[in-house]
Amino acid sequence: MASDKWREFLFSYCDIDLERILKAQVADKDKCYPLAIDGSLLLDYNLQLCSRLLAEPNPQLDLLSKAAVLAQRDIKQKLIRSASTPSERQAVAKYYVKLLVQVRLHNLPAIPELVRNKVPGCSEVGKYLLLNGTVIRSGLRKVLQKSQLWKCQTCQGAIKEEGRFELRYRLVPPRRCPHEPCKGYKFQHQPDHVTTCTDYQELKIQEKVERLDMGSLPRSITVILEHDLVDMCKAGDDVTIYGIISQQWSNFANDSRCSLDTVMKANNIEIHNEHNTKLDVTEVTASRHYAYWRDYEDKPVTARNIILASFCPELYQLYVVKLATLLVVLGWFNGGSIVEEP
């Protein structure tokens, strides 16, 4: 099953990030914990699984979030078994499994099937895409209520209604009581019930003028941000939005025509401002980097030559040229002789 494969992938490749989430102190049970997943790792692990994620993003991202909860439990059991003293086992037993984990994809391949420089149309609804553009308007940060509890006045049963993204999370009472054999149609709202709320923000993303055809006017699209993505960028930022092209109904009024708008539900945001020189390196990437150099601790030149061989592999017998190019790109040199033939 896909859920078991996602669970195995997260346990194998995202164990460090999941352990960090597991050990985080619980200040708010409704807090969202982001989990960054490197697209290159996912492609190396299972190409079919990655293809299914991009073809069916909504159900697969839901499975990933559920798998992250199960993987936390597996990591917790692993930590309990590896604890050597009773005090360590008690400390691990106090770790709280976070139920609200949102997967954030990044480092996906820049292929034409994924990357868009123009605003997608209605024909691409349901696809997972990367949209390059500029933020021209940043909405206010809001609190979004996602659920309500209603009580049937006939059988006194409780009914929880969840807001749907397509209806802009509009919360309305149910039409019929789902409890059999009751068929009541009158409901009373329960305001004392603790509802599910989250942060919410809308952005307006415009196409970059320099990437348009001559004489074309830049178009824009609304991007929906939730949870930890809120307030990540501001107007004027050049960004790449990872997200799902969706549609939302608006204008729910009597005797008026409804409109259907094409929007983008963001899954991740990358900011490309010129002044933003900080590298976004995850703990998984850093651990792979340090593990690689530890394996070649006694042979650093061999490790460097392996990296050089993977740089422009179609070019042969240009060792010095490759080395000089990488030094210019990386912009670092510690002095001494830099040329040592393999």
Side-chain angles (χ1 to χ4, degrees):
M1 295 178 62
S3 57
D4 296 333
K5 293 182 180 180
W6 285 127
R7 183 178 180 178
E8 180 183 353
F9 168 76
L10 294 176
F11 184 80
S12 302
Y13 291 89
C14 303
D15 54 335
I16 297 177
D17 290 337
L18 286 172
E19 184 175 343
R20 172 182 53 82
I21 293 175
L22 181 64
K23 293 180 179 180
Q25 296 182 356
V26 183
D28 184 4
K29 65 178 182 179
D30 294 330
K31 180 181 178 181
C32 174
Y33 294 86
L35 177 62
I37 292 183
D38 193 328
S40 61
L41 289 178
L42 183 56
L43 285 171
D44 293 339
Y45 173 75
N46 193 320
L47 180 59
Q48 294 181 350
L49 202 61
C50 185
S51 300
R52 183 181 299 179
L53 172 61
L54 299 177
E56 304 171 355
N58 282 312
Q60 293 301 320
L61 286 175
D62 291 340
L63 286 177
L64 260 173
S65 298
K66 296 177 182 178
V69 176
L70 298 177
Q72 287 182 76
R73 295 171 180 169
D74 295 339
I75 292 175
K76 184 176 180 179
Q77 295 298 323
K78 177 183 176 181
L79 294 176
I80 293 177
R81 291 193 299 267
S82 61
S84 56
T85 61
S87 60
E88 292 181 358
R89 296 189 186 94
Q90 292 178 359
V92 174
K94 294 181 180 179
Y95 293 157
Y96 179 75
V97 175
K98 312 305 185 298
L99 302 179
L100 187 55
V101 179
Q102 292 292 332
V103 172
R104 306 298 184 200
L105 299 178
H106 68 99
N107 196 24
L108 289 172
I111 56 178
E113 291 78 4
L114 286 178
V115 181
R116 296 290 186 275
N117 294 318
K118 296 183 179 181
V119 171
C122 60
S123 60
E124 296 182 301
V125 170
K127 295 183 179 180
Y128 191 99
L129 300 176
L130 281 65
L131 177 62
N132 297 314
T134 303
V135 181
I136 60 174
R137 183 174 62 84
S138 177
L140 297 176
R141 182 185 187 128
K142 301 178 182 179
V143 176
L144 177 67
Q145 183 180 357
K146 285 192 170 184
S147 66
Q148 279 184 347
L149 188 68
W150 300 82
K151 183 175 72 173
C152 178
Q153 295 185 0
T154 302
C155 66
Q156 305 300 316
I159 306 167
K160 186 177 181 180
E161 285 292 314
E162 299 283 348
R164 295 171 54 187
F165 178 82
E166 296 79 6
L167 301 178
R168 299 181 184 269
Y169 296 108
R170 183 168 174 257
L171 297 172
V172 295
R175 294 184 177 182
R176 289 285 182 178
C177 180
H179 303 297
E180 295 293 341
C182 178
K183 295 182 179 180
Y185 58 90
K186 292 184 179 181
F187 305 92
Q188 182 180 5
H189 179 226
Q190 303 296 306
D192 298 334
H193 172 69
V194 179
T195 59
T196 303
C197 297
T198 184
D199 293 326
Y200 177 88
Q201 187 182 24
E202 292 186 5
L203 299 179
K204 204 76 169 180
I205 304 297
Q206 181 179 273
E207 300 169 342
K208 293 185 178 181
V209 179
E210 60 270 17
R211 296 188 178 183
L212 296 178
D213 298 332
M214 186 65 66
S216 300
L217 294 177
R219 296 178 299 171
S220 61
I221 188 173
T222 301
V223 179
I224 309 299
L225 308 182
E226 295 180 10
H227 303 298
D228 57 295
L229 298 180
V230 174
D231 287 341
M232 277 194 64
C233 56
K234 60 184 182 302
D237 289 344
D238 291 332
V239 296
T240 297
I241 306 293
Y242 293 66
I244 306 170
I245 307 300
S246 307
Q247 292 179 324
Q248 284 187 329
W249 292 95
S250 60
N251 193 16
F252 301 100
N254 293 331
D255 301 328
S256 62
R257 184 176 181 179
C258 295
S259 60
L260 188 61
D261 303 324
T262 301
V263 299
M264 189 173 191
K265 186 177 181 181
N267 175 256
N268 199 3
I269 300 178
E270 291 181 354
I271 303 176
H272 304 299
N273 295 340
E274 294 181 356
H275 63 271
N276 187 16
T277 58
K278 182 180 178 181
L279 294 178
D280 185 15
V281 180
T282 63
E283 294 186 12
V284 176
T285 304
S287 63
R288 294 178 65 195
H289 170 79
Y290 293 130
Y292 174 80
W293 286 104
R294 279 198 302 268
D295 294 340
Y296 293 93
E297 185 176 2
D298 299 330
K299 298 181 291 182
V301 176
T302 301
R304 182 199 64 184
N305 293 337
I306 294 175
I307 296 176
L308 287 177
S310 63
F311 177 70
C312 296
E314 65 275 8
L315 298 179
Y316 300 95
Q317 298 180 355
L318 294 175
Y319 172 80
V320 178
V321 175
K322 290 184 178 183
L323 181 58
T325 303
L326 281 180
L327 285 175
V328 171
V329 172
L330 298 176
W332 179 83
F333 175 55
N334 64 347
S337 176
I338 64 172
V339 178
E340 183 177 346
E341 295 291 345

